[in-house]
Amino acid sequence: MKIPKQPVNQRVLKYLITVLIVAGSIWSASGLEITPERFLSAPSKVWILVTAMFPLDLSQEAIDRIVPKVGESLFIAWAGTVIGAIFSFPISFLAANNVSLNSFSRATKQVLNVIRAFPELILAFVLLPITGLGPLTGTLAVGIHSIGTLGKLSSEVIEGIDEGPLESIKSSGGSKLNELFFGVIPQVMPTITSYWLYRFEINLRASAVLGVVGAGGVGAELINQLRFRDFPRAGTVLVVTILMVLIVDTISAAIRKRIIKGREIKV
Amino acid sequence: MIKVPKKPLPSLLTVIGYPFAIALTIFSFFQVGFNIEDFKRNWENRKLVTDTLFDPKWEWAIENASQALLETIQIAILASILGCFIALPLSFYASRATNQTTVTYLIYKSFLNFIRTIPDLFWAMLFTVAVGLGPFAGVLALVMFSMAIMGKLLSETIDSIDLGPLEAAKASGAKHNQAVFTSALPQILPNFTAYFLYIFELCIRASVILGLVGAGGVGRIIETQRIFLRFDRISPIIVLILVAVIAIEQFSVWLRRKIL
């Protein structure tokens, strides 16, 4: 007879977690030399910065400079997502343990884990000497990172499919390939497409940041304006970026909702 | 004879969506400028990276970067704890299930949406200007970052709680806040813990790059070595970060399984 494991005592666990959280924050705060006074004085300092940004610099010259940069971030994010989607799609089938061989699946998952562990910025500056300063580097960095994340998410979707359709294809004489095309892909496509869009939203934020190392996009503009203490213009950069992200998020969220829910068909 | 239903016409989304997506893709790749000539010319430069990248200077990295790596982890711990616990009450105000006042609901909801639109490194840049260079700016940036994610995830979880206990508490005379505290909070605590661990992982990853804009942590060392193309010094640091990130991830997966 197998004796079930005794569950961890809930109350002990609760105290342990509380102690862990309190001790962790005290250890971190003392290590970083952060005191409560610094936190209390932070809002007023932030307020000074915010007031320095207004009124925004909305001169024609500023707009002409900033809007194309924000657009560049958008294109980097989209192109990067497309790279990620195209490459991660076949890889995710290799990584799913119900479609691919067990050893294959494990190896592919490890590779995806390693890719995922590098932040876009680190990829960007390793690529920088090869692909040059500019948006191409950013695109590749975003793309490579997306392969890792999308590959993981998609393979998990594939692992969670309903086996019923596969069985019925098999029993009516379908080949393995038939199973893949008529059993697996139609089931996973809506979720995977919505993950692609979701990744695009995340990549948009990532690509906005990439400019900091010179990999294209709006980040360079913001850091330069802040360095030169041109706060009204930095404010404009921020506002334009926020507007773009908000618009893209709203559209993408609406499309994702529609993809997952499907279309209502009147019979 | 079985009547086969007619295949519905393609929806508007497919009619407009596919061509638009393809056009945007072509235009984007054109915009980011893949130029084979440049690529060939720069391909020679790869030696700058590859020669040094695979010749890691371990002693140098351990001697110089371990302190900064510790700082990175401390930033992530402090920021994720603060951010998540600030977001906990905010999420209740940003959910329809626990906040019936439309005005305050909209204010909290849009506040959380607003801080979510600004990328983590932008927060870091802004805080380095506002409170000065150093890890404190990094902590504040990641507080905003984790607050935004936790706020979104948790408020959506609260939207879908079982309203029965809330009603029961109110029927037995509890005030709104008491009802929320005794019947809504226990429902979402397991989710909160899971999200917290997830956000902690995200913060560890994010805190690595904070140093690039002077907000503390190991990124500062990476940035200075990057400028001098000392990839032989960067690569061991990257490996150290990788090991730390994976170890913390495994720990959090283990803890999640224990708790949930």
Side-chain angles (χ1 to χ4, degrees):
Chain A
M1 208 178 87
K2 222 172 145 190
I3 299 163
K5 245 201 256 167
Q6 209 168 11
V8 187
N9 191 327
Q10 286 291 317
R11 193 182 287 174
V12 172
L13 203 64
K14 223 180 245 173
Y15 285 126
L16 201 71
I17 290 172
T18 318
V19 168
L20 212 64
I21 286 176
V22 172
S25 28
I26 290 174
W27 174 66
S28 304
S30 63
L32 302 170
E33 289 170 3
I34 292 172
T35 51
E37 290 89 66
R38 291 188 76 181
F39 274 109
L40 293 177
S41 68
S44 61
K45 286 179 181 162
V46 172
W47 185 246
I48 293 172
L49 177 64
V50 172
T51 44
M53 284 180 180
F54 288 94
L56 297 173
D57 179 5
L58 291 173
S59 63
Q60 193 58 42
E61 191 221 337
I63 298 286
D64 283 348
R65 232 180 111 93
I66 291 163
V67 171
K69 281 284 169 198
V70 175
E72 193 174 82
S73 284
L74 183 75
F75 297 131
I76 291 173
W78 183 266
T81 313
V82 170
I83 292 176
I86 288 174
F87 285 97
S88 73
F89 191 61
I91 292 173
S92 62
F93 284 92
L94 280 181
N97 60 17
N98 56 345
V99 179
S100 131
L101 296 170
N102 221 337
S103 51
F104 250 157
S105 143
R106 219 167 287 155
T108 317
K109 268 186 188 153
Q110 282 311 320
V111 173
L112 289 176
N113 275 340
V114 171
I115 297 176
R116 229 155 32 85
F118 295 105
E120 286 97 347
L121 270 170
I122 304 239
L123 286 172
F125 68 61
V126 172
L127 287 170
L128 214 50
I130 301 171
T131 48
L133 283 169
L136 180 62
T137 309
T139 309
L140 290 177
V142 167
I144 292 170
H145 189 78
S146 301
I147 294 175
T149 47
L150 285 175
K152 178 181 190 276
L153 288 174
S154 312
S155 70
E156 278 167 4
V157 174
I158 295 168
E159 282 169 4
I161 56 164
D162 178 10
E163 301 280 336
L166 303 191
E167 208 174 299
S168 61
I169 290 167
K170 211 183 290 174
S171 62
S172 56
S175 66
K176 275 270 170 209
L177 217 59
N178 288 146
E179 271 179 49
L180 193 66
F181 278 102
F182 299 107
V184 182
I185 291 180
Q187 275 193 63
V188 296
M189 224 43 224
T191 320
I192 290 183
T193 328
S194 75
Y195 279 153
W196 289 348
L197 280 173
Y198 177 60
R199 192 68 220 170
F200 172 55
E201 291 170 36
I202 297 175
N203 283 346
L204 196 58
R205 293 169 171 79
S207 70
V209 160
L210 281 170
V212 173
V213 295
V218 72
E221 202 59 32
L222 182 63
I223 202 169
N224 284 336
Q225 304 307 344
L226 285 177
R227 256 180 209 151
F228 295 128
R229 296 289 183 262
D230 188 349
F231 295 124
R233 194 168 281 193
T236 317
V237 175
L238 263 183
V239 169
V240 176
T241 312
I242 289 170
L243 278 179
M244 190 230 354
V245 173
L246 269 183
I247 292 169
V248 170
D249 269 12
T250 315
I251 296 173
S252 164
I255 297 176
R256 277 193 289 138
K257 209 169 171 185
R258 162 68 181 72
I259 289 174
I260 291 297
K261 264 174 72 179
R263 177 164 51 134
E264 280 174 33
I265 295 169
K266 287 189 203 97
V267 182
Chain B
M1 174 92 190
I2 306 162
K3 218 175 133 192
V4 181
K6 244 201 302 185
K7 199 174 176 183
L9 290 167
S11 72
L12 198 67
L13 185 70
T14 29
V15 171
I16 300 172
Y18 281 94
F20 179 75
I22 292 168
L24 185 60
T25 306
I26 294 168
F27 189 66
S28 297
F29 275 100
F30 184 68
Q31 282 289 319
V32 296
F34 184 80
N35 187 336
I36 196 78
E37 289 301 311
D38 284 351
F39 196 76
K40 264 187 203 155
R41 189 151 17 91
N42 284 327
W43 188 237
E44 293 302 309
N45 291 349
R46 78 183 184 280
K47 289 203 180 72
L48 274 177
V49 182
T50 51
D51 281 0
T52 51
L53 193 65
F54 298 112
D55 176 29
K57 300 273 189 288
W58 283 101
E59 283 107 47
W60 186 90
I62 289 169
E63 198 176 306
N64 291 283
S66 44
Q67 184 58 38
L69 194 61
L70 193 71
E71 193 176 283
T72 293
I73 294 170
Q74 287 175 328
I75 291 174
I77 292 175
L78 189 60
S80 54
I81 290 174
L82 283 176
C84 289
F85 280 92
I86 295 171
L88 185 62
L90 291 187
S91 312
F92 283 101
Y93 285 107
S95 164
R96 282 266 60 161
T98 48
N99 184 359
Q100 261 85 32
T101 326
T102 312
V103 179
T104 52
Y105 162 75
L106 284 176
I107 290 172
Y108 280 105
K109 189 98 191 159
S110 34
F111 171 69
L112 286 176
N113 276 337
F114 165 73
I115 54 176
R116 218 161 51 83
T117 54
I118 302 179
D120 46 359
L121 216 58
F122 276 25
W123 280 120
M125 287 184 223
L126 293 173
F127 281 122
T128 48
V129 175
V131 302
L133 296 170
F136 184 54
V139 170
L140 289 179
L142 287 189
V143 165
M144 300 310 268
F145 174 71
S146 45
M147 195 162 91
I149 302 174
M150 180 56 101
K152 179 177 163 58
L153 290 175
L154 202 62
S155 64
E156 279 170 7
T157 310
I158 297 170
D159 278 337
S160 61
I161 56 165
D162 181 8
L163 292 175
L166 207 66
E167 208 183 315
K170 275 186 188 164
S172 58
K175 292 202 187 79
H176 180 72
N177 285 345
Q178 290 170 328
V180 168
F181 192 75
T182 52
S183 55
L185 185 64
Q187 284 191 54
I188 51 108
L189 266 185
N191 299 76
F192 177 75
T193 323
Y195 297 152
F196 170 72
L197 289 171
Y198 167 67
I199 287 168
F200 176 56
E201 284 168 35
L202 288 183
C203 278
I204 289 273
R205 284 160 196 276
S207 63
V208 169
I209 55 170
L210 288 175
L212 295 184
V213 294
V218 74
R220 186 188 62 228
I221 293 175
I222 295 180
E223 175 68 5
T224 45
Q225 298 307 320
R226 178 183 82 84
I227 294 167
F228 299 113
L229 293 174
R230 289 300 298 261
F231 287 104
D232 54 335
R233 288 178 170 178
I234 291 177
S235 65
I237 299 179
I238 293 177
V239 173
L240 282 181
I241 293 170
L242 219 74
V243 171
V245 166
I246 290 173
I248 287 166
E249 227 175 67
Q250 293 303 322
F251 172 71
S252 109
V253 167
W254 173 82
L255 198 63
R256 207 174 321 186
R257 210 174 292 148
K258 266 265 153 25
I259 292 172
L260 302 180

